[in-house]
Amino acid sequence: MAIHSLSCHLLLLLLMSSLDGLIKPGSAFIHDWDQRASSVTLEPHITGCLSRDQETFRCWWSPGNFQNLSSSGALRFFYLKKESPNSQWKECPHYIYSNRECFFNMTYTSVWITYCMQLRGENNVTFYNENDCFSVEDIVRPDPPVNLNWTVLSISPSGVSFDVRVKWEPPPSADMATGWIRVHYELQYRERNTTKWEALEMQPQHQQTIFGLHIGKKYEVHIRCRMIGFKKFGELSDSIFIEVSEVESTETTFSFTIVVVFGIVGILILVMLIIVSQQHRFMKILLPPVPAPKIKGINAEMLKKGKLEELNLILSGGGMGGLPPFAADFYQDEPWVEFIEVDAEDTDSGEKEDHQGLDTQRLLGLPQPINQPMNIGCANTISFPDDDSGRASCYDPDLLDQDTPVLVTTLLPGQPENGEALLDVVGGTSTPERSERPLVQIQTTGPQTWVNTDFYAQVSNVMPSGGVVLSPGQQLRTQESTSSTEQEETQKREKDSEGEEKKEQQFELVVVDPEGHGNATESIAQQALTTPVSPIPGEGYQTIQPQQVETRQAAASEDNQSPYVGPEFPMAQFSVPVSDYTIVQEVDTQHSLLLHPPPHQSPPPCLPQPPPKSLFGMPVGYITPDLLGNLSP
Amino acid sequence: MNSFKACSGFINGLSLTGRPGESQDTMHAMMTVKHTAAWALLLWPCLFTVSVPLDCKDEQVSITRCPFISQEKLLDRVIQHAELISRISEETCSLFEEMFVPFPLRLQRNQAGYTCITKALPIPSSKSEIQQISDTWLLHSVLMLVQSWIEPLIYLQTTLDQYDNAPVILLNKTKWVSEKLISLEQGVVVLIKKLLDEGALTASFSEQSLFQYEPAPDLLESVMRDYILLSCFKKDTHKMEIFLKLLKCRQTDKYNCA
């Protein structure tokens, strides 16, 4: 008997051990929950354990192929809670035999502690898989969320797709309020009758938006959740169905289009009414009149009739048409703008000298109102009064000797013709670059009077762009005297020299290039001053007793003073209104301008030998930048 | 804090690479652990500086270094820290498991449940128990947990450096967690003072360090030990997170949080 039972046991043991080999290694339920191996395992085993809320859990077992143990009570469930090395196996606290389930309630559930399960049959036969150990937090599968519902969020304007917002509530079994469990939700949707589920990104909120669903199609949506930081998902919830029919979308677009159409029609009607009723006020608002180009005094029909000459006359400002001189009209309000006006009446003699005399007379003697344009004798006959002072045609390059004094005017930088005229006036030297308009300022000498101050305009300021701001000259001006250094001025070719105030007893000829070629305040042929000494009667400049001279450079002056050279003129003593300008007498070896020429009371019979540095052939006081290079000794 | 950084930086700098040529397993990346053991022992005193919590009130410059923060905000921040640390520790553990632990051995972490270093701490682990303990005890439990994990994490950083093909992300995560744990400790200390009106805490756990370093006999053992260390850490961070959240629930709504 005993041997028989012993052999039975041995046989059973052998059988079990052989069966052990059939058990897949590592096939604990904790890994194979979802993919149960095919029942190679025949012995009773734990099929799985599950916790829904991390507060309780339950385990299930199966008798396997041991049918004799399938009756309830034949197998006993034991667990080990590994709290200490001395832990003992304990029996299941609560059996549910109908399910072959063992339920652990809150008292028996400890998180973060390893549990091991085993089954025991009769006679202390244990069916134990070492791998059936777990920790409760690893087996938590939260219940699915409840109360899933959806609302339409928006419909695309094309009426093809729409967005829907799905909301739900957390599973009631999970204690999320106290933070015992923290879950992420995963929403899945698919089109009805397809097999593939689209899963949205997991997130902890209780709502999610599905974008891009199609109108007219049916969709199925369900949701599941899992604990954050763990791998196991809970069950999927029941599906809800989403469908949006096409009617709704078209209604909204229909009403929208109607509103738009009515609006447009209304506006059109209003506009038409306004146009038709010819309310000029509204017409002006709606369709403002376009101004046509016009010139005062000129009728466009004149052109049509071919009266070109008349047109020319009018345009040129001859008294007939009443058309005011264009330029003067244009600049009427600018006191600092002066023009040299060609006076046809003065062209009676072709002699240069006469012209010179005329010129100088005009320059020096005749007081004239400031704002009127000055007349310069013009060698060439002029058919009509030339308002533009700088007309090139007026001036003959051969008109003046090379040594003739410089006739200096300050000109508006923007008038090339002026520049050319000046060049021509100034000197016989060909100035190759007519386009450049060196602006010449001539400083006055001391208390000598000035020439017609209105003949010249004083540069009061030089703009950064190189343009020159002119101020009208004034007849008389008290002298201000400051000392300045010639050398500074000669060296500097920029505007700094403008800042310099009066120079004392210096003549300085400042050339400012309105085109901004370094704004050269150039010393010029000072010889201009020596040359005035020459017996040319026409010269307006002479070496003057250097006296208080104001050197007015481009920037400094703000007075309405005429920048004039007020050389001592044998003819008269002039009260020098403005000693703003000085004529450069000479340039010494150091490129400094000498503005104190040895005073010549009487014009020397011959031109003084210009120092080698002087400009040759250059009219006094006038230099173009290209000739600057010649300044160097 | 600076001394800790210096120490940890120094330790990290000692990373030793594995012997080239051994390539049988992923686990063959290990170095002679004895070297690290020696270094760790030498630098042992460094670790003491870590466990001293930053005490704002005692320092005269406390105003500039400890700006005022409301209690709720502080608790929220501490909870954020704990949640983040828990998540990163879980990721670290999975990463390590995938890379270095062979499949059959992966369940050993459950087997070794009672060998976690913090097993000796008197911390409840069932919900019923946890709901019954006081706020004080909750906070102190958290503090104990945090403080006892600071050292092992430093050790983990050094060991992980020795793995030949340890992914950089693993090392970075470990390092990050190590740093954040220290911030968490500071936060909890301040919280204790604010909530419980307790005085400054001295270094409570540094004397009896729970972490006993022993050189492992072979490669597999070291890997398994590291693996178990990471799993235990993951559990403990989860515990900290839950404790702190329960505390917050109690602060905001005392009656529903039982």
Side-chain angles (χ1 to χ4, degrees):
Chain A
M1 272 309 178
I3 298 172
H4 181 64
S5 63
L6 190 60
S7 61
C8 266
H9 280 296
L10 279 172
L11 202 60
L12 210 55
L13 273 169
L14 276 171
L15 192 62
M16 277 168 46
S17 58
S18 62
L19 285 174
D20 264 340
L22 295 175
I23 295 174
K24 214 160 94 172
S27 64
F29 68 86
I30 196 166
H31 285 296
D32 297 333
W33 179 248
D34 291 325
Q35 314 113 19
R36 294 303 303 163
S38 57
S39 37
V40 178
T41 57
L42 300 176
E43 72 165 14
H45 56 273
I46 313 286
T47 50
C49 288
L50 177 70
S51 170
R52 290 189 184 277
D53 47 12
Q54 209 174 318
E55 300 170 25
T56 62
F57 70 100
R58 46 191 81 223
C59 288
W60 296 271
W61 72 85
S62 146
N65 288 344
F66 285 29
Q67 293 305 320
N68 54 346
L69 297 173
S70 59
S71 61
S72 51
L75 280 172
R76 295 164 70 200
F77 191 96
F78 281 81
Y79 73 95
L80 176 66
K81 195 167 164 185
K82 291 192 177 179
E83 286 174 301
S84 65
N86 303 326
S87 306
Q88 307 266 336
W89 288 91
K90 296 177 192 166
E91 196 163 356
C92 173
H94 183 70
Y95 278 101
I96 303 176
Y97 287 105
S98 52
N99 262 347
R100 293 201 192 103
E101 178 183 308
C102 181
F103 175 69
F104 295 79
N105 59 11
M106 271 177 69
T107 11
Y108 292 97
T109 308
S110 294
V111 198
W112 307 296
I113 290 179
T114 309
Y115 284 82
C116 289
M117 308 291 167
Q118 68 177 201
L119 289 167
R120 291 182 192 177
E122 307 259 327
N123 301 328
N124 288 339
V125 172
T126 56
F127 307 96
Y128 175 54
N129 188 345
E130 276 185 351
N131 299 325
D132 283 339
C133 294
F134 58 88
S135 193
V136 172
E137 73 269 12
D138 290 330
I139 59 166
V140 174
R141 292 172 182 262
D143 283 339
V146 296
N147 289 348
L148 209 56
N149 61 5
W150 61 275
T151 50
V152 174
L153 196 62
S154 63
I155 298 181
S156 72
S158 56
V160 170
S161 61
F162 66 100
D163 308 328
V164 82
R165 168 164 286 164
V166 184
K167 287 190 182 170
W168 58 86
E169 285 170 21
S173 58
D175 184 7
M176 302 182 61
T178 58
W180 187 248
I181 288 186
R182 213 160 50 110
V183 296
H184 274 160
Y185 300 98
E186 191 191 55
L187 193 65
Q188 294 178 358
Y189 71 97
R190 71 171 177 188
E191 207 177 316
R192 206 93 182 278
N193 299 339
T194 56
T195 51
K196 187 164 181 288
W197 287 91
E198 298 281 341
L200 298 182
E201 195 183 342
M202 295 188 57
Q203 45 88 36
Q205 313 295 330
H206 292 160
Q207 62 183 14
Q208 198 157 11
T209 309
I210 308 178
F211 297 100
L213 298 178
H214 291 279
I215 287 182
K217 292 188 182 173
K218 285 191 180 173
Y219 290 93
E220 191 181 345
V221 171
H222 62 205
I223 192 171
R224 60 180 184 173
C225 57
R226 73 168 184 192
M227 266 191 27
I228 296 178
F230 295 90
K231 299 188 185 67
K232 305 230 184 259
F233 275 103
E235 282 177 3
L236 288 162
S237 67
D238 295 333
S239 294
I240 58 170
F241 297 96
I242 297 176
E243 187 179 3
V244 172
S245 58
E246 296 186 9
V247 177
E248 303 169 17
S249 54
T250 50
E251 277 178 8
T252 52
T253 50
F254 181 62
S255 56
F256 181 68
T257 47
I258 285 204
V259 166
V260 166
V261 164
F262 272 118
I264 292 176
V265 166
I267 291 172
L268 276 174
I269 289 175
L270 196 65
V271 168
M272 289 305 298
L273 275 175
I274 290 174
I275 292 177
V276 164
S277 63
Q278 307 238 335
Q279 295 281 340
H280 290 287
R281 269 190 316 156
F282 290 114
M283 286 286 284
K284 275 194 183 167
I285 294 169
L286 279 178
L287 309 165
V290 177
K294 270 169 59 171
I295 302 178
K296 265 195 212 173
I298 293 182
N299 208 348
E301 296 176 357
M302 282 177 65
L303 287 171
K304 293 180 196 169
K305 292 174 190 167
K307 297 181 182 172
L308 197 59
E309 291 171 4
E310 284 181 14
L311 193 63
N312 277 339
L313 194 66
I314 291 172
L315 278 176
S316 62
M320 280 179 46
L323 195 66
F326 181 79
D329 186 35
F330 189 59
Y331 290 110
Q332 191 65 34
D333 299 330
E334 309 285 340
W336 46 270
V337 171
E338 305 252 340
F339 290 90
I340 298 175
E341 190 180 43
V342 172
D343 194 352
E345 303 163 21
D346 293 331
T347 61
D348 49 355
S349 99
E351 287 189 0
K352 289 188 284 186
E353 296 187 355
D354 285 348
H355 282 294
Q356 298 305 319
L358 277 170
D359 291 344
T360 50
Q361 274 179 2
R362 284 209 177 79
L363 285 174
L364 302 176
L366 308 178
Q368 290 190 11
I370 295 176
N371 291 336
Q372 286 183 5
M374 300 303 302
N375 294 334
I376 295 181
C378 186
N380 301 331
T381 59
I382 302 169
S383 58
F384 50 88
D386 195 350
D387 285 334
D388 192 352
S389 56
R391 294 294 162 82
S393 58
C394 206
Y395 298 100
D396 194 339
D398 301 329
L399 198 65
L400 301 171
D401 275 349
Q402 293 179 349
D403 299 327
T404 52
V406 175
L407 201 66
V408 177
T409 64
T410 56
L411 302 168
L412 276 183
Q415 301 185 4
E417 298 161 24
N418 289 343
E420 293 177 17
L422 179 62
L423 286 175
D424 291 341
V425 169
V426 160
T429 59
S430 56
T431 57
E433 301 184 23
R434 297 296 173 91
S435 57
E436 297 174 0
R437 295 172 299 260
L439 196 64
V440 177
Q441 288 180 352
I442 298 182
Q443 308 290 332
T444 66
T445 56
Q448 291 81 357
T449 57
W450 277 112
V451 298
N452 289 334
T453 56
D454 348 87
F455 184 75
Y456 300 97
Q458 174 186 339
V459 172
S460 57
N461 204 349
V462 177
M463 298 186 287
S465 58
V468 174
V469 172
L470 301 178
S471 62
Q474 276 179 8
Q475 296 249 346
L476 297 177
R477 212 186 83 158
T478 54
Q479 301 305 311
E480 312 158 48
S481 61
T482 55
S483 59
S484 63
T485 58
E486 296 173 329
Q487 286 167 347
E488 286 173 6
E489 288 169 357
T490 51
Q491 305 303 343
K492 295 186 239 180
R493 287 168 155 240
E494 339 85 68
K495 282 187 194 175
D496 340 351
S497 51
E498 305 160 0
E500 285 191 10
E501 296 279 341
K502 334 128 197 203
K503 303 207 164 184
E504 192 166 353
Q505 307 189 355
Q506 285 177 357
F507 289 106
E508 183 176 353
L509 198 62
V510 173
V511 177
V512 176
D513 184 1
E515 286 184 353
H517 287 269
N519 213 6
T521 337
E522 296 313 322
S523 59
I524 311 176
Q526 66 315 15
Q527 294 342 347
L529 287 185
T530 55
T531 49
V533 188
S534 66
I536 302 172
E539 69 183 87
Y541 306 94
Q542 286 183 357
T543 57
I544 308 172
Q545 293 301 334
Q547 282 157 22
Q548 297 182 339
V549 174
E550 283 176 293
T551 57
R552 179 64 48 117
Q553 312 262 339
S557 163
E558 293 145 3
D559 308 341
N560 295 340
Q561 291 167 356
S562 64
Y564 280 18
V565 172
E568 219 173 73
F569 191 74
M571 292 191 325
Q573 286 289 334
F574 304 103
S575 58
V576 183
V578 172
S579 56
D580 291 345
Y581 300 92
T582 309
I583 295 184
V584 173
Q585 301 299 320
E586 64 182 56
V587 179
D588 68 6
T589 49
Q590 290 151 355
H591 294 268
S592 55
L593 295 174
L594 297 180
L595 301 177
H596 296 283
H600 300 269
Q601 295 307 325
S602 60
C606 57
L607 285 176
Q609 202 47 246
K613 306 114 212 157
S614 69
L615 291 178
F616 54 88
M618 191 57 206
V620 169
Y622 200 72
I623 185 172
T624 56
D626 59 317
L627 294 171
L628 286 175
N630 298 334
L631 266 181
S632 57
Chain B
M1 191 67 175
N2 287 335
S3 55
F4 165 67
K5 281 197 169 151
C7 283
S8 64
F10 193 76
I11 291 173
N12 284 338
L14 300 176
S15 62
L16 310 161
T17 57
R19 277 171 275 174
E22 286 188 285
S23 57
Q24 292 178 2
D25 282 356
T26 55
M27 295 171 296
H28 269 276
M30 297 294 286
M31 248 297 298
T32 50
V33 189
K34 285 180 185 172
H35 275 171
T36 54
W39 280 114
L41 287 171
L42 277 178
L43 294 171
W44 204 248
C46 280
L47 303 175
F48 280 96
T49 62
V50 169
S51 16
V52 177
L54 181 68
D55 193 352
C56 283
K57 277 190 188 158
D58 290 347
E59 301 177 12
Q60 290 310 312
V61 289
S62 60
I63 294 176
T64 55
R65 291 178 67 178
C66 308
F68 176 76
I69 186 174
S70 73
Q71 202 168 289
E72 293 93 21
K73 260 199 180 170
L74 179 62
L75 188 54
D76 281 340
R77 274 199 210 171
V78 168
I79 289 176
Q80 263 179 4
H81 264 70
E83 285 178 353
L84 213 51
I85 289 172
S86 174
R87 206 183 84 202
I88 301 292
S89 70
E90 188 271 331
E91 287 172 11
T92 309
C93 188
S94 328
L95 211 57
F96 186 89
E97 186 183 72
E98 280 173 32
M99 284 222 58
F100 299 114
V101 180
F103 193 81
L105 297 176
R106 285 187 189 177
L107 297 169
Q108 281 200 13
R109 65 165 189 242
N110 294 321
Q111 298 256 344
Y114 55 80
T115 58
C116 273
I117 58 174
T118 51
K119 63 185 182 296
L121 297 178
I123 297 175
S125 32
S126 71
K127 187 177 184 191
S128 43
E129 288 174 28
I130 291 170
Q131 280 174 340
Q132 286 163 15
I133 67 177
S134 63
D135 290 355
T136 314
W137 194 235
L138 274 178
L139 273 175
H140 277 281
S141 310
V142 172
L143 187 62
M144 280 194 277
L145 284 171
V146 172
Q147 285 174 337
S148 45
W149 274 105
I150 291 178
E151 302 168 14
L153 274 185
I154 297 172
Y155 158 75
L156 258 181
Q157 281 185 60
T158 44
T159 43
L160 287 178
D161 265 345
Q162 296 160 15
Y163 285 59
D164 237 359
N165 35 342
V168 176
I169 190 173
L170 183 66
L171 303 173
N172 289 346
K173 282 190 204 258
T174 317
K175 194 169 180 186
W176 183 91
V177 166
S178 185
E179 291 166 9
K180 286 302 167 198
L181 211 58
I182 294 165
S183 319
L184 183 63
E185 184 199 9
Q186 292 170 1
V188 173
V189 164
V190 175
L191 208 54
I192 286 176
K193 277 191 290 192
K194 278 198 167 179
L195 280 176
L196 310 176
D197 295 327
E198 290 185 14
L201 290 178
T202 53
S204 55
F205 264 114
S206 49
E207 308 101 24
Q208 29 154 324
S209 76
L210 302 172
F211 180 60
Q212 308 294 340
Y213 174 78
E214 297 155 3
D218 61 9
L219 236 49
L220 184 61
E221 282 292 322
S222 323
V223 170
M224 290 314 294
R225 190 188 48 211
D226 293 343
Y227 180 48
I228 287 167
L229 203 59
L230 280 171
S231 336
C232 290
F233 182 57
K234 172 179 154 184
K235 283 192 219 264
D236 284 342
T237 53
H238 191 223
K239 216 184 275 191
M240 289 181 227
E241 178 193 340
I242 286 181
F243 280 25
L244 287 167
K245 286 205 278 213
L246 190 63
L247 182 70
K248 176 169 170 90
C249 183
R250 286 187 188 177
Q251 295 288 313
T252 52
D253 188 3
K254 213 158 180 90
Y255 299 103
N256 277 351
C257 289

